Amino acid sequence: MEARAIQRGVRQSARKMRLVIDLIRGQAVPEADAILRFSKKRAARQIHKVLKSAVANAQQAAQRDNAPFDADGLRVTYAVVNEGQTLKRFTAAAMGRGTPILKRTSHVEIRVAGAAAPAAPAPAAKAEANEKAKPRAKAKKRAPAKKKKTTKKASK
């Protein structure tokens, strides 16, 4: 069972939010919940909301499919923060000038999946397995290129 939740337009820069999202990526949902609840960062509150929403979405999907549901068995499989739209504002500066202020926003996406969900092998791993199965052709050694002899004509 996999579910996701997205929150767009969070009024905090993506760079600051990535510090918190990196802490929960790959963690079990109860551990991620505890990390976010006791974090002092402002971003943790917004990310916690998205995590709770993803768990609720997983519960609804399980209920719709009439499948058993255990929130403690879920893991954060995908957690990313992308940059959103930047609000551009100006403030007064010396000598009648205006200096720009960039108010950055971000988009948070979290996916949770149950432990029973089979993990698909990475495409890179398949490519490596195919290369190992194929016998490699031996490269032919070439003889070094011969230098041409140049002769100088005597000038009269």
Side-chain angles (χ1 to χ4, degrees):
M1 182 64 51
E2 182 173 292
R4 72 175 185 158
I6 300 173
Q7 184 179 16
R8 298 187 188 278
V10 180
R11 273 291 296 121
Q12 192 168 15
S13 71
R15 184 176 181 180
K16 291 177 185 177
M17 294 192 79
R18 283 185 190 120
L19 295 173
V20 178
I21 204 99
D22 290 340
L23 297 174
I24 66 163
R25 192 175 291 121
Q27 298 286 333
V29 168
E31 291 177 33
D33 185 48
I35 290 168
L36 293 173
R37 197 171 323 134
F38 296 110
S39 176
K40 291 183 178 181
K41 298 276 190 183
R42 180 174 165 253
R45 175 174 255 166
Q46 295 297 324
I47 294 170
H48 189 251
K49 286 181 182 180
V50 180
L51 180 66
K52 284 185 357 186
S53 178
V55 171
N57 291 343
Q59 182 179 7
Q60 288 297 313
Q63 202 172 28
R64 190 170 43 248
D65 296 340
N66 200 17
F69 178 74
D70 180 27
D72 295 339
L74 295 176
R75 293 192 81 73
V76 179
T77 56
Y78 181 81
V80 70
V81 176
N82 295 318
E83 290 183 12
Q85 185 178 14
T86 301
L87 306 173
K88 295 170 178 79
R89 303 290 184 258
F90 289 91
T91 187
M95 295 192 284
R97 294 191 184 105
T99 57
I101 296 175
L102 301 177
K103 296 189 175 191
R104 301 185 187 275
T105 63
S106 54
H107 304 318
V108 182
E109 181 178 358
I110 295 179
R111 291 184 195 163
V112 294
K126 287 182 182 177
E128 289 176 2
N130 289 340
E131 287 180 24
K132 288 180 183 176
K134 293 179 186 175
R136 294 186 181 188
K138 293 183 180 177
K140 294 181 182 179
K141 291 186 179 179
R142 286 196 261 170
K146 295 180 182 178
K147 291 186 178 180
K148 292 183 180 179
K149 294 184 179 178
T150 57
T151 56
K152 233 181 194 181
K153 292 185 179 179
S155 60
K156 291 186 182 179

